[in-house]
Amino acid sequence: MLKPLIAGNWKMNGLTASLQEVEALIEGLQGKDVTADVLICPAATLLDRLTAKTGDSIIETGGQDCHANEKGAHTGDISAEMIADIGGAYVIVGHSERRTDHGETDAMVREKAEAAIRAGLTPIICIGETLEQRKAGQALDVLGQQMGGSIPGGLDGSQFVIAYEPVWAIGTGLTPEAADIKEAHSFMRARLGQSAVKSPDKVRLLYGGSVKPSNATEILSIEDVNGALVGGASLKAQDFLGIIFH
Ligand code: 13P
């Protein structure tokens, strides 16, 4: 049984005042029997302060992206080493918003995941089909291609996480049918089993896309769903707690 991971992706949201939500989250988790790992990936501007605030709590922190290089002339980027340096433990790579906004390809995502592992971080590698691809019956093919291209070779299953985020479910309030999530996750699990990944059963497979307190129980009880990557509902401590304690 894999320990679930409930991860919050704050995206381009959050100012200094948002640190209060983290305080509320710490308070809400204190003294409770928390059966999942809890992670927040804030904007880079908040990462250092938020990591300091989470201190001894069970909350871990991470970045939303990293450059493939350790350092150098890459204005505006941050490296995996920088995230590790301030105490971050994870980094999201290949989110569909980065694939769309910044033209990130599977090969680029793979390089970023390699950089994350080199720096001692756990990459959360995001994959997911568009609505057009789903309607055309290509969803699983797309997932297979993205896995083949984005996952570095020679890894152990405990070194990385995969997040399945159907592009059409992100920020829309729409979610796939439970049967479709199950199909996608069992496909990913089987494909890992055929890959060069060592201990493929140790890879945590997260679902992301419109997860909220009201649907968390159903989604998180699906076989091979080992956690959630949560956008909008991670911004408010009460909603995020509702998912953690679903
Ligand atoms: P929402 O939960 O807002 O749909 O976002 C999901 C997501 O993209 C998390 O990375």
Side-chain angles (χ1 to χ4, degrees):
M1 179 71 180
L2 293 171
K3 189 171 187 191
L5 171 63
I6 307 295
N9 173 10
W10 280 14
K11 308 192 179 184
M12 199 172 75
N13 297 292
L15 301 171
T16 299
S18 313
L19 295 171
Q20 288 166 11
E21 292 299 324
V22 178
E23 284 165 17
L25 188 61
I26 293 170
E27 216 172 276
L29 293 171
Q30 223 152 34
K32 302 268 169 52
D33 181 20
V34 186
T35 52
D37 287 333
V38 178
L39 168 68
I40 301 178
C41 297
T45 49
L46 285 179
L47 185 54
D48 196 5
R49 281 179 289 165
L50 199 149
T51 302
K53 206 166 252 311
T54 55
D56 305 331
S57 80
I58 64 157
I59 303 168
E60 294 186 286
T61 61
Q64 297 178 5
D65 175 52
C66 67
H67 196 277
N69 292 353
E70 184 184 343
K71 60 182 176 195
H74 302 288
T75 304
D77 280 312
I78 63 171
S79 70
E81 283 76 5
M82 290 169 176
I83 295 168
D85 179 53
I86 56 159
Y90 289 79
V91 62
I92 298 168
V93 293
H95 192 284
S96 64
E97 286 150 16
R98 294 213 53 95
R99 290 178 187 259
T100 304
D101 293 355
H102 300 274
E104 291 190 7
T105 62
D106 288 334
M108 290 161 75
V109 174
R110 179 190 166 116
E111 282 187 16
K112 289 175 182 224
E114 284 167 353
I117 286 164
R118 190 180 61 225
L121 301 178
T122 302
I124 299 176
I125 301 169
C126 299
I127 59 174
E129 83 285 357
T130 63
L131 190 56
E132 292 67 35
Q133 290 165 333
R134 175 153 287 273
K135 282 185 175 159
Q138 298 165 346
L140 299 184
D141 288 344
V142 169
L143 298 185
Q145 263 166 33
Q146 290 180 331
M147 287 175 74
S150 310
I151 301 172
L155 295 186
D156 185 272
S158 59
Q159 285 181 288
F160 67 103
V161 173
I162 298 177
Y164 167 53
E165 300 205 303
V167 177
W168 52 274
I170 295 176
T172 57
L174 302 172
T175 53
E177 299 292 330
D180 292 331
I181 297 178
K182 184 172 180 209
E183 183 186 43
H185 280 243
S186 64
F187 169 82
M188 294 189 286
R189 183 67 69 200
R191 201 178 190 290
L192 284 168
Q194 294 153 6
S195 74
V197 172
K198 293 174 223 118
S199 310
D201 288 343
K202 287 195 193 154
V203 181
R204 290 192 282 191
L205 303 176
L206 313 186
Y207 168 79
S210 299
V211 177
K212 42 188 185 252
S214 59
N215 61 20
T217 302
E218 184 186 14
I219 290 172
L220 290 166
S221 67
I222 298 170
E223 198 182 337
D224 277 318
V225 173
N226 313 117
L229 182 53
V230 185
S234 71
L235 294 170
K236 289 270 168 253
Q238 284 319 309
D239 291 342
F240 201 44
L241 286 165
I243 294 170
I244 295 166
F245 295 116
H246 64 88

